[in-house]
Amino acid sequence: MHVQEWLETVPAVAVYALVGVVIGLESLGIPLPGEIILVSSALLASQHGEIDPVVLGASATAGAIIGDSIGYAIGRKGGRPLLAWLGNKFPKHFSEGHIATAERSFEKWGMWAVFFGRFVALLRIFAGPLAGVLRMPYWKFAIANVLGGILWAGGTTAVIYYVGIVAESWLKRFSWLGLVAAVLVGLTSMLVLKRKAKKAQPVIAGE
């Protein structure tokens, strides 16, 4: 079943909870389609008055901030062994090359890597745990986490919702295009990271 069609069958409170939980788990470090769920829910809110976009955006923002915070705590406690364990469990997402690419981003950008990581599909699952593993000062992490969570989750909800309001009749017939666009953005960012990760792997092997 289409994601948006399935969301139409559940009550509004369940949609809020689903968005918050999925985004929270993704931010914590578990590879889940948080962005797709958020885009689908925002489109649904623009077409059905039962879903409040403000509550939806707040749920997404809370999930993003809380999930990243838990990920940071886990990463700080688990350290490098945690990354090795994640690499075994999720080799496509936590390969040595991907981790090396993310680490270089943190070394270069610091807290801004957490902030901008919200907008890159793969970095979204790395930001919290890796910030903890690298022992980024918590106050820096917290500022970037909160601001990034609000801008990404709240901003995405607002943009998709108002686009849906303006073009409601068009989106009712072609709402899947919003999901396709979200998927394409996610895939493009993942391909760019994979390409960088492959370049990083020989460096790791030579160390």
Side-chain angles (χ1 to χ4, degrees), residues 115-154:
F115 179 84
F116 289 112
R118 285 287 182 197
F119 302 89
V120 181
L122 192 59
L123 282 182
R124 215 163 25 245
I125 66 175
F126 272 112
L130 192 55
V133 170
L134 298 178
R135 297 190 173 275
M136 176 184 289
Y138 183 73
W139 69 269
K140 289 185 176 182
F141 169 79
I143 292 173
N145 179 30
V146 171
L147 294 179
I150 292 173
L151 188 59
W152 174 73

Side-chain angles (χ1 to χ4, degrees), residues 6 16 18 29 37 40 44 59 79 96 119 143 148 150 154-155 173 186 188 201 205:
W6 180 80
Y16 304 144
L18 177 67
I37 293 294
S40 300
L44 185 61
S59 299
E96 290 184 353
F119 302 89
I143 292 173
I150 292 173
R173 295 163 52 198
T188 300
Q201 284 173 343

Side-chain angles (χ1 to χ4, degrees), residues 17-34:
L18 177 67
V19 168
V21 169
V22 171
I23 290 177
L25 291 175
E26 181 189 38
S27 301
L28 188 152
I30 299 175
L32 291 174

Side-chain angles (χ1 to χ4, degrees), residues 96-199:
E96 290 184 353
H98 287 167
I99 293 173
T101 299
E103 282 184 321
R104 284 200 300 273
S105 297
F106 271 73
E107 290 172 0
K108 184 176 182 180
W109 301 105
M111 63 186 290
W112 293 109
V114 176
F115 179 84
F116 289 112
R118 285 287 182 197
F119 302 89
V120 181
L122 192 59
L123 282 182
R124 215 163 25 245
I125 66 175
F126 272 112
L130 192 55
V133 170
L134 298 178
R135 297 190 173 275
M136 176 184 289
Y138 183 73
W139 69 269
K140 289 185 176 182
F141 169 79
I143 292 173
N145 179 30
V146 171
L147 294 179
I150 292 173
L151 188 59
W152 174 73
T156 298
T157 302
V159 169
I160 298 300
Y161 175 77
Y162 284 112
V163 166
I165 292 295
V166 171
E168 181 177 0
S169 61
W170 185 79
L171 285 172
K172 279 184 177 178
R173 295 163 52 198
F174 301 101
S175 59
W176 53 271
L177 288 178
L179 292 178
V180 171
V183 171
L184 288 177
V185 170
L187 287 175
T188 300
S189 60
M190 286 182 67
L191 288 174
V192 170
L193 284 173
K194 284 183 178 180
R195 189 173 181 180
K196 290 182 178 180
K198 287 182 179 179
K199 291 181 179 179

Side-chain angles (χ1 to χ4, degrees), residues 38-51:
L38 180 57
V39 169
S40 300
S41 300
L43 282 173
L44 185 61
S46 72
Q47 301 167 25
H48 297 275
E50 294 85 358
I51 298 177

